[in-house]
Amino acid sequence: MRALVAAAIGLAPVLLFVLLLSVVELPPDGPTSPKPLLTADPGPKK
């Protein structure tokens, strides 16, 4: 029983950190494309 409590206490900060990252939604680095389903700028048109 003590092992379960220790595991729960140890994993609680990790779970809170993951939930925080999922709520904050950080923007991707660099320019983004206005087209849907593209996460990066494809570059200049040739």
Side-chain angles (χ1 to χ4, degrees):
M1 188 66 182
R2 280 190 230 165
L4 291 176
V5 172
I9 291 172
L11 291 177
V14 175
L15 180 62
L16 290 176
F17 181 70
V18 170
L19 289 175
L20 178 67
L21 286 181
S22 67
V23 169
V24 171
E25 293 186 20
L26 298 173
D29 292 338
T32 57
S33 173
K35 295 180 181 178
L37 301 178
L38 294 177
T39 58
D41 189 359
K45 303 248 182 207
K46 292 184 179 178

